[in-house]
């Protein structure tokens, strides 16, 4: 029986093999945040001669890449990237996701929006039929925390301030439990439109394009709209 760490290692290595054939000396990759992505970065580092560098969704990932010799670019200096590779806290059958357990949801959403393809890397424990068991992170401007909390409660959620966390954007995170997420894209749009919300951790309006799922039987590949 593979441990969760071994499952993460397998899917991280599969992601490296997925992107390698498309890399050129001018390629800039998008790289996310989290424990599985940490392993992806470590697995990508031996191939630095194959690509130009990467854009990161967090200071944590930027520091890890720089320490391993991967050149880190500011997104403002990048016009295009073929892949954004990141994990998820939950992913459903339609490849909609909840992200933000590591607190980088806004930057993850921004970097992902520039990439041609979002490659999500997860172990099988992250697959669900319906999103919502994992509390939904919502990044908020501090002065709006309580007003946003009241509106999230009106949607049926139970918001809780994530203690001791300030995002890379200088904001706070509300973790919202108890939501019934039957229509992820609609809920994402509704929460994003609440004044004071920077971004919510639903990635449904633009979900994953490809998912690599690490299972006890190997790494499976899922694609959006695939039968």
């Amino acid at each position: 029986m593979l441990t969760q760490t071994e499952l993460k290692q397998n899917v991280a290595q599969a992601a490296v093999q997925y992107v390698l054939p498309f890399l050129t000396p001018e390629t800039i990759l998008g790289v996310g945040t989290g424990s599985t992505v940490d392993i992806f970065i470590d697995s990508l580092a031996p191939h630095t001669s194959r690509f130009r560098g990467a854009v990161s969704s967090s200071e944590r990932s930027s520091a890890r890449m720089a320490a391993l010799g991967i050149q880190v670019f500011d997104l403002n200096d990048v016009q295009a990237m073929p892949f954004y590779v990141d994990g998820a806290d939950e992913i459903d059958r339609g490849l909609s996701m909840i992200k933000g357990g590591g607190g980088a949801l806004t930057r993850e959403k921004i970097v992902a929006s520039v990439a041609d393809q979002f490659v999500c890397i997860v172990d099988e424990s992250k697959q669900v039929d319906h999103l919502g068991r994992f509390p939904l992170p919502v990044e908020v401007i501090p002065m709006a925390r309580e007003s946003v909390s009241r509106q999230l409660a009106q949607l049926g959620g139970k918001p809780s301030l994530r203690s001791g966390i300030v995002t890379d954007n200088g904001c706070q995170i509300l973790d919202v439990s108890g939501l019934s997420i039957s229509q992820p894209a609609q809920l994402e749009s509704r929460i994003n439109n609440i004044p004071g919300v920077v971004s919510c951790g639903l990635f449904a309006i633009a979900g994953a394009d490809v998912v690599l799922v690490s299972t006890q039987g190997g790494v499976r590949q899922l694609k959006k709209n695939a039968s």
Side-chain angles (χ1 to χ4, degrees):
M1 179 74 72
L2 296 173
T3 65
Q4 190 172 41
T5 297
E6 289 170 330
L7 290 171
K8 289 180 178 183
Q9 290 170 340
N10 287 348
V11 78
Q13 291 164 3
V16 171
Q17 294 305 312
Y18 182 85
V19 303
L20 275 180
F22 302 97
L23 299 184
T24 74
E26 297 304 312
T27 299
I28 296 177
L29 294 171
V31 176
T33 306
S35 58
T36 307
V37 172
D38 285 345
I39 302 171
F40 170 74
I41 292 170
D42 295 347
S43 302
L44 185 66
H47 306 283
T48 52
S49 63
R50 301 276 297 272
F51 63 106
R52 188 177 177 193
V55 172
S56 165
S57 69
S58 71
E59 299 299 331
R60 163 183 163 171
S61 290
S62 291
R64 193 179 193 95
M65 288 194 290
L68 291 169
I70 300 172
Q71 186 173 358
V72 179
F73 289 85
D74 187 301
L75 185 61
N76 290 311
D77 299 324
V78 176
Q79 295 184 357
M81 62 183 70
F83 301 105
Y84 175 69
V85 180
D86 202 356
D89 298 301
E90 283 188 343
I91 186 161
D92 69 12
R93 296 177 184 275
L95 309 193
S96 295
M97 299 166 283
I98 286 181
K99 294 174 48 56
L105 58 154
T106 298
R107 293 193 181 191
E108 289 170 349
K109 197 167 284 193
I110 292 169
V111 179
S113 72
V114 179
D116 296 332
Q117 191 174 110
F118 187 142
V119 181
C120 181
I121 54 175
V122 294
D123 65 81
E124 57 189 346
S125 69
K126 305 299 177 65
Q127 288 189 291
V128 297
D129 290 328
H130 301 286
L131 301 174
R133 188 189 320 172
F134 189 92
L136 176 65
V138 179
E139 185 168 353
V140 297
I141 294 171
M143 70 169 290
R145 181 187 66 241
E146 292 306 313
S147 63
V148 171
S149 292
R150 289 192 291 271
Q151 294 188 64
L152 291 171
Q154 290 175 0
L155 294 176
K158 298 177 181 178
S160 174
L161 177 66
R162 192 180 298 182
S163 173
I165 296 296
V166 177
T167 71
D168 288 343
N169 305 313
C171 295
Q172 297 175 321
I173 292 180
L174 295 170
D175 290 310
V176 189
S177 59
L179 288 172
S180 176
I181 307 180
S182 58
Q183 297 177 309
Q186 291 185 18
L187 184 61
E188 178 183 358
S189 179
R190 187 167 180 181
I191 293 175
N192 283 342
N193 283 332
I194 297 174
V197 169
V198 179
S199 180
C200 82
L202 277 167
F203 284 60
I205 295 172
D209 297 296
V210 175
V211 183
L212 301 178
V213 184
S214 190
T215 74
Q216 294 295 330
V219 176
R220 295 190 295 115
Q221 183 181 130
L222 308 175
K223 289 191 175 182
K224 185 179 288 186
N225 300 324
S227 56

